Amino acid sequence: MRKPARVRSVVRRLSLRTLASGLRARLIVAFLLVAALSAFATAALTFRAARTAILQHTQDTAVDTLRAQVSSQSPDLRFPPSAADLRTFAQNIERAGEAQHWVIHVRYQDGPVQGSVAGGTAQVIEPGLAKLVKRGRAAVQRVSLNGKPWLTIGLPVTYGGSEQSSGLEVYARLPLRNDEVNVRALVQAAQNGALPAVGLSVIPALIAAGGVLRPVRELRRGTQRITEGALDTRLKVTGRDELADLSRTFNGMAEALERNVAELRRMEANARRFAADVSHELRTPLAAMTAVVDVLDEDADGLDPDTAYAVRLISEETGKLARMVEDLMEISRFDAGAAALHLDEVDVRETIRKTLQARGWQDRVHTDLPEGVRARLDPRRIDVVVANLVGNALRHGGEPVRVSVRAEPASPAGHVTSAGPVSPAGHAESAGPGPRLLIEVADRGEGIDPEVLPHVFDRFYKADAARVRSEGSGLGLAITLENVRLHNGTIRAANGPEGGAVFTVDLPLYTGGEEE
């Protein structure tokens, strides 16, 4: 039994091949990005905290040292101090704090700045810093001079033992070269620690990706097995995470699918068995009815008109019933896999001619049958194929009906190109490589409605729902399709460019099979 289209659709949607193909790389990259961000964020925070601590320590040390030197030197200063006294005071503080490599400047009551080296207010005393010192507060400011970092300290000098300002302001400027070296060392240490951490994170990333992908791979293999028909496939469920829930859902789906398909198979098998049994049981009474009806039909001319009409009607309907039973028996053999090919090398032109002559269609059908085309075919089944297609064209199409045959060499891709839309229902297996035999039956009717085209080979399908009766059994095109498939060929239904329906049978020119 062929798997129902709905089952194939469900399995196709569940396929995770595309998802799993790049999931490992994405998981590893995501893990590495998180690890890198964490490492660099930690390094940045550590660097910031350490840099602040280093600069704060330098600043506190410098302020304490400057305050101590000012406290030790200021008692010897005379007030009001002269410019020479201020320079001497600055030089003494600078010599006492030689280890700090600072430069000292002093100012008294908004007077000129005095120091050990030349330097104006713009270079030494920033306005904001000077304003804070003027208010009697010690102030600190980090500045950049000539592209290098410096620390500037402003300190008001008070009279000994009191908080009263003496009007004297001391400013110290010291380089932060050592601190900058320490900060660079911290940056280098952070980089040296972060890069190996990111590299080592590849190992847990691979482990984590493997743990996530393992159930995904199992799910992919499970869907593949279901696609191949193993509906009893189940996944092992471990854990309680989302992937475990997905595996449970898959198992529930597979169980329901197996149950539904089993029920469909059972129902289909019962339907086939019923059709085969009914057809077989009808053959015997139908044979007797046909014999009696034939006798009555011969004597119909001697009966009164109403009785003669009834006899001929019974004869016609009995014939239809007999043909339907034969078609049901034939389709049942296909369903049961009991249909067999009896191959023989035949002249295709002569075979089709015999089919048309046997049914009296030679005057109603135009042919284009080249000579010398021979193929290994089952003559009886090809006769059924041609008869069904031509009969369908005569009944439902429009004359003239044309039957043409042509042989085509093997195409590079092993396919035959044909114009016009193709009926999805008309596809069997793809045409294989090698030369092909094409039998085309075309009519000049109204063509096939595009909505009907996909269903022309369906069993008992009627294009017109109001037409409840027809001359055929509704199985003719379905039997045609099965006979073509048995020859490893395809059949296509389309509308011709000039109107009318076109049925194209595509068969291997030489099947290479053995005659059965």
Side-chain angles (χ1 to χ4, degrees), residues 52-75:
T52 301
I54 290 173
L55 293 177
Q56 188 65 41
H57 175 72
T58 301
Q59 175 180 309
D60 293 344
T61 301
V63 170
D64 292 343
T65 302
L66 180 61
R67 184 176 282 112
Q69 294 300 327
V70 169
S71 298
S72 64
Q73 298 292 335
S74 59

Side-chain angles (χ1 to χ4, degrees), residues 205-266:
L206 290 172
I207 296 174
V212 172
L213 286 179
R214 190 177 300 111
V216 175
R217 285 194 296 267
E218 289 295 325
L219 191 59
R220 185 188 67 186
R221 283 193 288 266
T223 56
Q224 183 63 33
R225 287 195 294 269
I226 285 185
T227 305
E228 294 169 354
L231 300 181
D232 59 343
T233 301
R234 300 292 184 273
L235 300 180
K236 182 180 179 182
V237 180
T238 55
R240 296 182 177 275
D241 55 11
E242 288 80 0
L243 290 174
D245 292 340
L246 182 60
S247 298
R248 293 188 189 93
T249 304
F250 174 88
N251 289 341
M253 181 276 303
E255 183 178 352
L257 190 62
E258 183 180 19
R259 186 168 57 250
N260 293 338
V261 170
E263 181 65 16
L264 287 174
R265 286 174 175 169
R266 185 188 65 80

Side-chain angles (χ1 to χ4, degrees), residues 425-460:
H427 278 291
E429 292 77 9
S430 299
R436 314 296 301 174
L437 174 65
L438 299 183
I439 303 174
E440 189 175 274
V441 177
D443 62 62
R444 296 303 298 273
E446 297 180 357
I448 306 173
D449 191 295
E451 295 183 0
V452 175
L453 198 59
H455 306 287
V456 293
F457 295 99
D458 293 354
R459 300 176 186 183
F460 303 109

